Amino acid sequence: MLEKSICILKMESLFYGYREIAFLFLFLDRYDRMFFISQISEIYDIMLVVLCIFRYNRGGEKMKKDVLKIEEVFPFENGMRIVIGCSGGPDSMALFDMLLKIRRKYQLSLICAHVNHNLRKESIEEEAYLREFCKEHQVVYQTMTIEKYGEDNFHNEARTIRYHFFEDVVHHYQADILMTAHHADDLMETILMRITRGSNLRGYSGFHLVVQKSDYKIVRPLIHFTKKELEDYNLSHHVPYFIDRSNLSSKYTRNRYRREVLPFLKKEDIHVHEKFLKFSEVLMNANTYLEKEVLKAYQRVTYEGELSISLFLKEDKFIQREILYLLLAKFYQDDLILVSDRHIDLLYRLITSKRANLTYNLPNEVVVVKSYDVCYLERKPDFLSTYEIEFESFADLPNGHVIEKIADTPENSNFICRLDSREVQLPLIIRTRKIGDKMTIKGLNGTKKLKDIFINSKVDAKKREFWPVVVDASGKIVWLPGLKKSKFNKTKSESYDIIMKYR
């Protein structure tokens, strides 16, 4: 039925271009096509629609033969658990379809993670459709809606929220891989934007096919495919997708590169994306060698993430800049895209200034602090002065550490906590300290103030603000990770069914 087809691909969610009309036409059955043509004939030049259909049918056949090239790009293994970052757009839906086609061959477990950016009225319909699509294909579906944005750059902030959500889904399902649909055109755009903004070797190389995180990998298996090839794939395989009209606006920098610069380069050389991929690989290899030397220098001039200015100034100037990039990379992790040459220049001027105490604001509410001979990065207190996380099996903490549930360990330090779930009320909560917090220390009578524990342990005042406190559902403090254990902690010889590790 045409009504069902249009329900699946909401026309009001699509940009009314000839490509999309061609796609809708191919998606309908023979009888619905006649009705569809009659409905659009007053608005569109039917001959142009037909040309688009003809063009995409031809292009699609070529791509269809290469559908499994994704397996040549990345070595899939049997039983992999994969989270797909899926917007519902043409790129991510092409990736989704490719993974569905090889799911049985490799016995893959697929989880779809979708972020509703809450900026367009169509977002609700797209989210609902994707939910039904996953249900139909027996794929686990996880979604979140961004309710509020700060005053920072929208794209940067949305990207940060998106990847934090993806990582939460990865940890919740104990997945091996997070896959995103970044393709060859995206790589070209990223490299060109980095060159324009200024960066270092790592930045100029764009993004990697595989990024190794602490306990999973981010994989971009479409890096060898162009946008055009993915569009052709969708048409030939009848893959449904939505078009976000904001991606067509010249308001955003990336869109201007996409609409104005890339077409010019492709006109010069239809295979220019392969040159950019080679350029990226050469820079990545050079950067791999350079990073080994920079890491040695970084370890010479830093202690627990704080930079010794006097030692830093003894290094070669080129190495100094790379040390600053590494300092930011360790803090921003995969969000280094937010940092440009301008930030490095300002950071260098702050460090070499004759003034003893200075601060400088970086993207995403990060502050650089210079205090005499020391320089360090921290979050703005008013940006994230408190947090509260319901703990299941893994928690990525704002202070750069994690708490995870483990099966067993011989360790018995304050970084390990063993609990009997019958003696505490679940769920466990990880939060920041509160005024008047007290805990009952294991082996001692009475209670002790957390404030006194921090002072006696010589914990820096700024670190206390983000130090994790583990409480049960009733509010009782059961563990101060890395510092003290409560009366609820169990020894290895006692009965327990929960083991947590702070690292």
Side-chain angles (χ1 to χ4, degrees), residues 48 141 146 189 214 249 305 331 356:
L48 286 177
Y141 180 66
I146 302 177
E189 294 161 10
S214 59
S249 169
F331 198 85

Side-chain angles (χ1 to χ4, degrees), residues 149-402:
Y149 292 91
E151 297 178 357
D152 210 341
N153 180 287
F154 154 69
H155 279 109
N156 292 344
E157 187 176 0
R159 182 183 185 280
T160 299
I161 294 171
R162 197 162 57 241
Y163 272 88
H164 283 169
F165 169 65
F166 291 160
E167 187 165 88
D168 287 343
V169 175
V170 166
H171 289 147
H172 180 77
Y173 289 97
Q174 297 181 319
D176 310 292
I177 305 289
L178 165 64
M179 281 197 175
T180 64
H182 292 90
H183 49 72
D185 288 28
D186 290 325
L187 180 63
M188 291 174 65
E189 294 161 10
T190 300
I191 290 173
L192 291 169
M193 289 170 66
R194 298 271 179 84
I195 290 172
T196 304
R197 295 179 65 202
S199 189
N200 65 349
L201 278 181
R202 178 184 173 187
Y204 291 136
S205 67
F207 50 76
H208 296 232
L209 168 65
V210 178
V211 176
Q212 181 64 61
K213 305 292 280 186
S214 59
D215 51 358
Y216 69 99
K217 294 177 181 176
I218 299 176
V219 178
R220 302 173 176 107
L222 302 184
I223 197 170
H224 292 274
F225 296 118
T226 64
K227 179 77 171 179
K228 166 67 168 57
E229 287 175 317
L230 296 176
E231 289 175 343
D232 289 347
Y233 174 87
N234 287 337
L235 285 164
S236 65
H237 291 269
H238 307 297
V239 178
Y241 63 84
F242 292 91
I243 297 294
D244 180 350
R245 281 173 283 182
S246 68
N247 288 334
L248 302 169
S249 169
S250 295
K251 174 183 176 182
Y252 302 112
T253 305
R254 183 176 286 273
N255 291 352
R256 292 195 294 274
Y257 281 90
R258 182 176 301 156
R259 292 166 61 85
E260 298 169 22
V261 182
L262 262 61
F264 168 77
L265 294 174
K266 290 182 178 183
K267 187 176 180 181
E268 292 293 310
D269 183 353
I270 193 65
H271 301 296
V272 68
H273 63 282
E274 296 175 2
K275 313 299 193 305
F276 271 78
L277 187 60
K278 180 65 176 177
F279 175 79
S280 174
E281 290 172 350
V282 169
L283 291 192
M284 284 179 187
N285 290 335
N287 186 62
T288 299
Y289 172 78
L290 179 62
E291 278 186 342
K292 295 175 184 176
E293 300 304 312
V294 174
L295 183 58
K296 294 175 186 176
Y298 178 85
Q299 292 169 342
R300 288 195 297 266
V301 304
T302 60
Y303 179 72
E304 293 188 350
E306 294 185 348
L307 182 74
S308 167
I309 295 174
S310 57
L311 293 176
F312 170 81
L313 294 175
K314 293 178 181 179
E315 298 292 334
D316 179 84
K317 283 198 173 182
F318 178 80
I319 296 296
Q320 287 177 1
R321 292 183 67 84
E322 293 301 311
I323 288 172
L324 295 182
Y325 268 109
L326 184 55
L327 183 70
L328 293 173
K330 287 180 176 293
F331 198 85
Y332 279 94
Q333 296 183 19
D334 204 40
D335 286 334
L336 194 59
I337 189 175
L338 308 181
V339 179
S340 69
D341 255 5
R342 180 175 62 87
H343 299 115
I344 297 295
D345 291 338
L346 289 169
L347 183 53
Y348 186 81
R349 287 202 293 271
L350 177 143
I351 288 172
T352 56
S353 170
K354 293 180 179 179
R355 294 177 61 181
N357 294 283
L358 287 171
T359 61
Y360 171 66
N361 294 326
L362 287 170
N364 276 20
E365 307 294 339
V366 175
V367 180
V368 182
V369 179
K370 177 189 178 182
S371 179
Y372 299 99
D373 188 50
V374 172
C375 180
Y376 57 86
L377 278 63
E378 65 179 7
R379 297 279 180 189
K380 281 185 180 178
D382 58 348
F383 175 69
L384 188 60
S385 57
T386 62
Y387 61 85
E388 189 169 294
I389 303 167
E390 185 174 310
F391 181 76
E392 292 184 3
S393 60
F394 187 95
D396 198 346
L397 305 176
N399 68 345
H401 294 264
V402 302

Side-chain angles (χ1 to χ4, degrees), residues 2-65:
L2 178 57
E3 291 80 4
K4 182 179 178 181
S5 299
I6 293 178
C7 179
I8 291 175
L9 284 175
K10 295 288 187 181
M11 285 190 63
E12 60 266 32
S13 298
L14 294 173
F15 178 77
Y16 294 130
Y18 285 102
R19 290 181 176 182
E20 286 70 40
I21 295 301
F23 171 74
L24 278 171
F25 182 87
L26 288 173
F27 189 71
L28 301 176
D29 63 37
R30 182 163 58 94
Y31 299 101
D32 287 343
R33 286 177 180 179
M34 296 175 63
F35 177 73
F36 183 72
I37 289 291
S38 70
Q39 295 299 303
I40 66 169
S41 60
E42 294 179 5
I43 306 172
Y44 292 93
D45 185 332
I46 297 303
M47 286 306 297
L48 286 177
V49 175
V50 172
L51 283 173
C52 280
I53 294 168
F54 179 72
R55 173 191 168 204
Y56 279 118
N57 259 341
R58 288 179 62 194
E61 290 306 314
K62 178 177 181 289
M63 185 64 180
K64 192 170 185 179
K65 296 174 185 176

